[in-house]
Structure formats: structure tokens, C-alpha cells
Amino acid sequence: MSPVPGGGQPTIVSIARQAGVSIASVSRVLNGLGARRETVERVERAASELGYVPNAVARSLKDGRTRQLTFALPDIGNPAYVAMVRAVQGVTKTAGYRLLLHSTDAVVDDELAVLRSLGDRTSDGLIICPIRVTDDHIDALTCAAGPVVVMGSLPSGVPVDSVRADSVTGAALAVRHLHDTGCRRIGFINGPSDTVPGRNREEGYRAALTECGLAYDDALVVETGFGIEAGARAAGELLGRRPDAVFCANDQLALGAARALHARGLRIPQDVAVAGMDDSVLARSVWPPLTSVDLGSTERGRRAAELLVERLDGTAPIPRGTTATAPPRLVVRASTALPTENTRST
Amino acid sequence: MSPVPGGGQPTIVSIARQAGVSIASVSRVLNGLGARRETVERVERAASELGYVPNAVARSLKDGRTRQLTFALPDIGNPAYVAMVRAVQGVTKTAGYRLLLHSTDAVVDDELAVLRSLGDRTSDGLIICPIRVTDDHIDALTCAAGPVVVMGSLPSGVPVDSVRADSVTGAALAVRHLHDTGCRRIGFINGPSDTVPGRNREEGYRAALTECGLAYDDALVVETGFGIEAGARAAGELLGRRPDAVFCANDQLALGAARALHARGLRIPQDVAVAGMDDSVLARSVWPPLTSVDLGSTERGRRAAELLVERLDGTAPIPRGTTATAPPRLVVRASTALPTENTRST
DNA sequence: CTGAAAGCGCTAACAG
DNA sequence: CTGTTAGCGCTTTCAG
């Protein structure tokens, strides 16, 4: 309540003065090291009387660690990332780290800045989801000033830990499923093709098409952003080409597409089937529930956080450049399975 | 690339050595203070050769500020808070502060911990959204170790800045609108009534009912959580009571309720009208688009951040306990206006 | 214009 | 068991 004469917050000096002991004793008591019964009491009393809170900055300077971790993600509004945040948070909290969230909006310079900022010792480690991977990223990554885990695919050979989704396989899973349920004109709404996820999903789409004996038709593919409105607009364009299904590169796009279909009086899935990716909360929440490919957001978040924490604890000698890949899983819901086929879950 | 002999990151000492000047000169050059042309060059060259990044922790210890701000919110998955984060981020970024996001999950102890953690000097200020306000909150708030802005209502007399929504009025707006469009059995899905928002929304609901000459009917009111699934379950319960409208305390609840209605083959709004609150991205994105009450999430976020930054810059002498209130605004969409009435927006 | 030195709050040797 | 002291990296007087 009443801090030191001289204003400001109480420090170990104020406590030492008030308790009539040295600052070393204060430090020891506060850190639970040995001390005489009476010393302990006096220090603790003084500390609580003064409302002492240890200065984390000073402590960090001393021992070179902040007990803070940074998680840099492209879009805090995308439920897939929210799921990751939750998972990361769970691990870091348990491990005694605070989590610093940084929304980069997928701006390359912002991502690079975050990477470089590792050097300012504000946090002990970093998890980053770069949507695009430029040479600058690789450079910044290889000479990062602290441990980094990348969420996403990296060219092989880069000595950085990463946790990746297999969205090539995932996209193929969805397209194949659409084909299985009888769709033959499968439209594709993709995010920007200069992003890693965009590229991979297109690859999966094409591969599955080939596998199913369907021709790739430019007119059935729209490249746009990753947001809901982008999905609605793209679906609008696509509908002129009479697709019997629309596969979307994520659930936000799928949500937008579904709205566009509804608005035009088309039924899902009877007139047009819709599938998304990420299996985010959106997929479960809207009507009809959306078939989606679970790319393991939660698992990847957990894994990335664990990797980072292990690296920091420095216990297990993990090889540099460890890579984990989460297997995709198709979750079929009403937006693709026809009511008469009793194959859908939840 | 090649740090100091002795390992670790380069510091001003390494630079001083490499450039053959004193650490004071290094500091001056790096901070753009005057120095001889040659000194400047040598220091800058050394710094870039060594890949120097200033240690923010040391700087913080020196000048007592971190240039970091904390935003503690109850649920990072709720789009209304996402909107706030965006707004807060915009302001803090411009003002040169980094933003530390902390998801409390509305756990009281977590909130109190955040409040107390202001004392550890990890961030220069705090914006906090307490869902419940206990006496402990008030205590912690009044003797916080740094500037705090509360998002939400506080008992009057607490000398803390706050930015609040007027959800009493907002809820009434929605209920009145439902009445205007002909609804007479208006159900209400509310969040926990021991929360401030929960209490206020109920108050608004009751007030509007009275005003419209409708009786309050216990059977038409369900109290639950604030999430999507809670909304779906609650709507399930409510439907047995044959409401002609459901007013939900937020958009997540409304989304869940809408799904439950669809699943039972009920049409929105022909069979049951649905209205939510927050006017979040969800309301615009689903089908049919949801009527919702904009409680000014974005504006409140911006305002709170501005207040905090002004307080920190210490320029304008803002009176302690400044309170701003964002006016609610009804946004009518297809989930309540009947197609024949051409009154809806977007 | 530049260097030496103090000090931010804390922890950890090292002596007593 | 306790006190003195050095030092984490940086900024900022204060002398030169």
C-alpha cells in the first residue's frame, strides 16, 4: 500500500531496510532458500506489508531468460489458429511460460520483424506460422537468436524445427470423398497460390482429380483470399459453371460459399455439396454442418509447443531440424453426404 | 553471425571492442545522438557485422518501461473479442507498443493474477475484460501497480478508467424489434446471470417486455454459457415452449440456436425469429444473416487502448476513473425481418 | 566529442 | 546462517 519513501514500487532494498536484514537474505527467503526462522518471518512480513512484487525484468536481465514465449500467427480471427493458440497455451502454461501472441496478418515484413525480435530477449522462444516462405525467412530462421519452431512446411535442409500439416493428402481426401458421393464437377475455391497452404491444397486437388479420372478444368477453380467474404464472392463466380460440389481450402471459405449457395436458393448438398478444411468450430456450428478435413490444428499446436519447451529445458538432446507431421482426417458431415446415405458422423 | 568470443549474443561491449570506442559512444550512436562522423561509421559497421540487436530487457530495467501492453480477455475464440483485439492492436501498434494477449477463460483467479502481475513490470499497462466483478477485483484494481483500463461496467466510485457497452439498452432494442415484427412469445437465451453482461442483458430483456406489454415468462428463459453449443442445447429446451422468437445474449448463442432450429426443420424467421448480440463476423456470415445488436466492440477496443496510451504518455491530464460508454445499435438482417417486409439491411 | 562510472533490481558467489 | 559484492546490458550524468 505505502511504497518506499521516494516513490515507486517496493524492491528488495525496501524490504531489507524494513526487515533490518541484507538484500541477500531477502532474496534467499523470497526464493525459499534456507534462513533462520526469525529472518524468514521478518522478511515475509515486510514483503507483504509493502505489497512487494518481484521485478521480472530485473530477474530476466540477471538470468537471461524471460519465461515468456511468443506465438506469431497470421490471423487471430481464423478459428483454426484459435484452436492452435488454445493448444499452445495449454502446454506453455503448464511449463511455466507466459504466452505472447502476435498477429502478423501474414505480412512478410511483420514476420521477419518477429523473427529478428527474438534477439531482443523479450521472449525465450518462438512459434511462428509463416504463410509464405521467402529466402529472407530462411535466412532469418537459420540465424535466429533463439529457439524457433515453425508451423508449416519448410524446404528440407533448413535446420529449424517444424510441425506441419499434410494438406496435400488432406485436400485429396476431400476431393475423393466428393467423387465417391457422386460429384463429377468439383469446383475449388483456393487461397492465394503464392502461399504454402495454397500451393499444397491445389496439388492435392489436382492429384485427386487425376486419380478419380476427372479432368482439371480451369473454369472450376477460383483463387482468392482465405476469408469468409472471399469465399462468398468466389462461390458466386463459380456457380455460373454449374459445379455439383465446391471444395474450399478452409472452413472460412466454405462458410462463405455455403452462404452464397443459400442466398441463391441452392440446397446443400442436394444441389451442390460443400467441403472445407481445418475442421474448425465453424464446420460443426453452421447448418448444414460442413464436411471438413481435420489438419490437426490442435495437435500441431500442442506438438510445436512441446518441441519448443523441450528445446528450452535443454533436457532431451533433440536433433536440430526435427519435423513432425500431423496426419489429416476427413470428417464427413451433412454438407456432402446425402441424407439417404447414412454415412455421416456427428 | 560470429558473436563474441565467449559465446552469447553481441552486446554494446562487443561492439565497443570491435569498433575501438567506449560503450558510451556505442550507446550514443545507436540512439542517434551526436558523434563524430568516423565514430558513427565504425560503430554502425561493427554493429551490423556482429548482427547486434539491443537487449530490450536491459533497456527496460534501465528506464522502467517495457513498451509492452497487456490485453486480458475472457475468450479468444469469441469473435466479439477478436474484433476488440484488432482494434486494440491498431492503436497500440501505432503508439509503439507491443501487445501481449492473455486469455483468462473468465477464470476469476486468472484475472486477479493478471492484475497483480502488473507489478512485475512485464508490461506498462493493462486492458482487462472481467466477466464477473468481485470485491477482490475492486481491491486489485484500486491498488494496481500500473495503469489499467477495464472493459466493462464497474461499480461507480472505483477510481479506474473503464469503457463499457450499454447492453441493457442494447438488449431492449432487440426485444422491441422482435415485438415490432410481430413476435409475442420471445424466448431468451442468456449467459450466466452471475456475470455482468448476463445481468445487464436480462435487465434489458425484462424492461423491453414490460414496455411492450408482454409478461415475463420463466419458461421462455434459459440461462447457460456463452458458447455455440450452449446456444444449441438451450434452443432445444426452449422449443418445447413454442416461442415465435429467440433473443440470444450473443452471436455465438444465436448461431447455436439457429443450428438447432434448422436441425428441427424450423424456418428462420418464418417459424422462429432469431436475434443475437455483438454484431460479430458470425452474424454476417451465416445463413440467414443474423439480426444482432452492435455493442461497439471495435469502438470500445479502440477507445480503451487510446485511454491507456494517453495515460501512459502522461500528456493530457485525464481524470482518474474516466468512463466511456459505446451506444448500442440494432442491425436488422434476415433472421428477423420477414422477406415481405423490405426493412432489412445487408 | 568521448570515456569512465554509476545504477536500474535481482541473484549468486564468496567470506565471515 | 548472513552480509558484501560483482555483474546481467544498457543509458546517462559527469569529467575530461
Side-chain angles (χ1 to χ4, degrees):
Chain A
M1 292 295 151
S2 77
V4 226
Q9 295 252 119
T11 71
I12 49 169
V13 175
S14 359
I15 298 183
R17 207 152 35 211
Q18 170 129 348
V21 300
S22 73
I23 61 167
S25 290
V26 175
S27 176
R28 280 189 212 101
V29 171
L30 263 24
N31 291 303
L33 304 178
R36 207 175 48 198
R37 166 75 111 296
E38 197 201 326
T39 310
V40 174
E41 275 170 10
R42 296 169 66 166
V43 169
E44 284 177 343
R45 190 153 40 75
S48 86
E49 277 175 22
L50 294 170
Y52 173 77
V53 180
N55 182 321
V57 172
R59 198 188 325 241
S60 291
L61 180 60
K62 183 73 179 98
D63 62 35
R65 45 189 311 196
T66 56
R67 307 243 90 195
Q68 288 191 160
L69 263 25
T70 302
F71 183 20
L73 52 139
D75 176 13
I76 207 198
N78 183 333
Y81 292 116
V82 172
M84 283 188 195
V85 170
R86 291 225 163 86
V88 170
Q89 183 112 264
V91 175
T92 56
K93 188 172 200 169
T94 315
Y97 289 92
R98 227 182 261 183
L99 189 63
L100 225 140
L101 255 31
H102 193 115
S103 200
T104 61
D105 296 317
V107 174
V108 171
D109 285 344
D110 235 39
E111 293 178 353
L112 294 174
V114 172
L115 236 20
R116 274 189 296 264
S117 86
L118 246 188
D120 75 10
R121 313 275 92 184
T122 291
S123 67
D124 297 344
L126 171 68
I127 300 176
I128 188 170
C129 306
I131 274 290
R132 297 175 173 79
V133 179
T134 65
D135 287 347
D136 288 345
H137 278 93
I138 312 268
D139 286 355
L141 242 22
T142 31
C143 58
V148 181
V149 176
V150 169
M151 285 271 221
S153 300
L154 239 37
S156 62
V158 183
V160 177
D161 297 339
S162 67
V163 177
R164 50 189 71 176
D166 182 356
S167 50
V168 178
T169 303
L173 234 41
V175 172
R176 223 141 46 207
H177 162 72
L178 290 168
H179 180 261
D180 287 349
T181 57
C183 303
R184 291 300 176 267
R185 293 184 54 77
I186 304 175
F188 179 30
I189 301 181
N190 197 10
S193 67
D194 64 335
T195 62
V196 178
R199 226 173 6 252
N200 288 341
R201 284 153 212 213
E202 161 145 25
E203 187 184 330
Y205 171 74
R206 282 177 181 269
L209 242 40
T210 305
E211 202 185 313
C212 296
L214 297 176
Y216 177 89
D217 179 356
D218 240 355
L220 285 176
V221 178
V222 182
E223 179 183 330
T224 177
F226 273 124
I228 300 173
E229 295 307 319
R233 274 194 307 273
E237 290 180 40
L238 219 49
L239 288 180
R241 285 69 174 265
R242 307 255 150 247
D244 53 14
V246 179
F247 167 53
C248 302
N250 75 17
D251 288 340
Q252 299 197 120
L253 291 167
L255 176 58
R259 191 188 67 199
L261 295 181
H262 281 128
R264 284 165 181 73
L266 294 167
R267 291 163 307 161
I268 302 171
Q270 294 88 337
D271 298 318
V272 182
V274 175
M277 287 194 103
D278 286 337
D279 192 35
S280 64
V281 60
L282 288 180
R284 284 182 287 282
S285 304
V286 299
W287 188 266
L290 300 174
T291 289
S292 190
V293 179
D294 180 0
L295 295 174
S297 306
T298 296
E299 191 192 333
R300 281 181 287 146
R302 187 178 45 68
R303 200 66 203 89
E306 285 171 354
L307 219 50
L308 189 58
V309 167
E310 283 165 24
R311 179 79 69 205
L312 284 163
D313 289 359
T315 46
I318 323 150
R320 285 260 148 222
T322 294
T323 291
T325 303
R329 195 174 53 91
L330 179 71
V331 181
V332 178
R333 298 201 181 83
S335 72
T336 59
L338 289 167
T340 47
E341 307 176 304
N342 247 340
T343 44
R344 60 186 114 115
S345 74
T346 313
Chain B
M1 291 295 152
S2 77
V4 225
Q9 296 252 119
T11 71
I12 49 168
V13 175
S14 357
I15 298 182
R17 206 149 39 209
Q18 169 129 349
V21 299
S22 73
I23 61 167
S25 291
V26 175
S27 176
R28 281 189 211 103
V29 171
L30 262 26
N31 290 304
L33 304 179
R36 208 175 47 196
R37 166 73 112 298
E38 199 202 323
T39 310
V40 175
E41 275 170 11
R42 298 169 65 165
V43 169
E44 285 177 344
R45 189 154 41 77
S48 86
E49 277 175 21
L50 295 171
Y52 173 76
V53 179
N55 183 321
V57 172
R59 199 189 322 242
S60 291
L61 180 59
K62 186 69 180 104
D63 63 35
R65 47 189 308 195
T66 57
R67 309 242 85 194
Q68 287 192 158
L69 263 26
T70 301
F71 182 21
L73 50 140
D75 177 12
I76 206 199
N78 184 333
Y81 292 117
V82 172
M84 282 187 195
V85 170
R86 291 225 163 87
V88 169
Q89 182 112 265
V91 176
T92 56
K93 188 172 200 168
T94 316
Y97 289 92
R98 224 181 264 181
L99 189 63
L100 226 140
L101 255 32
H102 194 116
S103 199
T104 62
D105 296 317
V107 174
V108 171
D109 284 344
D110 236 38
E111 294 178 353
L112 293 174
V114 172
L115 237 20
R116 274 189 296 263
S117 87
L118 246 187
D120 75 10
R121 311 276 91 184
T122 290
S123 66
D124 297 343
L126 171 68
I127 300 176
I128 187 170
C129 306
I131 273 290
R132 298 176 173 78
V133 180
T134 66
D135 287 346
D136 287 345
H137 278 94
I138 312 267
D139 286 355
L141 242 21
T142 31
C143 58
V148 181
V149 176
V150 168
M151 286 271 219
S153 300
L154 241 36
S156 62
V158 183
V160 177
D161 298 339
S162 68
V163 177
R164 51 189 71 176
D166 181 356
S167 51
V168 178
T169 303
L173 235 41
V175 173
R176 222 143 44 207
H177 162 72
L178 290 167
H179 180 261
D180 287 348
T181 57
C183 303
R184 291 300 176 268
R185 292 184 54 77
I186 304 175
F188 179 32
I189 301 181
N190 197 10
S193 67
D194 65 334
T195 62
V196 178
R199 223 168 15 247
N200 288 341
R201 284 153 212 213
E202 162 145 26
E203 186 183 332
Y205 170 74
R206 284 178 181 268
L209 243 39
T210 306
E211 202 185 312
C212 296
L214 296 175
Y216 178 91
D217 179 356
D218 239 355
L220 286 175
V221 177
V222 182
E223 178 182 330
T224 178
F226 274 124
I228 299 174
E229 295 308 319
R233 275 194 306 274
E237 290 180 41
L238 218 49
L239 288 180
R241 287 68 175 264
R242 307 256 152 246
D244 53 14
V246 179
F247 166 55
C248 302
N250 75 16
D251 288 340
Q252 299 197 122
L253 291 168
L255 177 58
R259 191 188 67 200
L261 295 182
H262 282 127
R264 285 164 181 74
L266 294 168
R267 290 164 307 162
I268 301 172
Q270 293 87 338
D271 298 318
V272 182
V274 175
M277 287 193 103
D278 285 337
D279 192 35
S280 64
V281 60
L282 288 181
R284 284 182 288 282
S285 304
V286 299
W287 187 266
L290 300 174
T291 290
S292 191
V293 179
D294 180 1
L295 294 174
S297 306
T298 296
E299 191 192 333
R300 281 181 288 147
R302 188 177 46 69
R303 199 69 204 89
E306 286 170 353
L307 218 52
L308 188 58
V309 168
E310 283 166 25
R311 179 78 71 202
L312 283 163
D313 289 359
T315 46
I318 323 149
R320 284 261 148 220
T322 294
T323 291
T325 302
R329 195 173 53 92
L330 179 71
V331 181
V332 178
R333 299 201 181 84
S335 72
T336 59
L338 288 167
T340 48
E341 309 176 304
N342 246 341
T343 44
R344 59 185 115 117
S345 74
T346 310

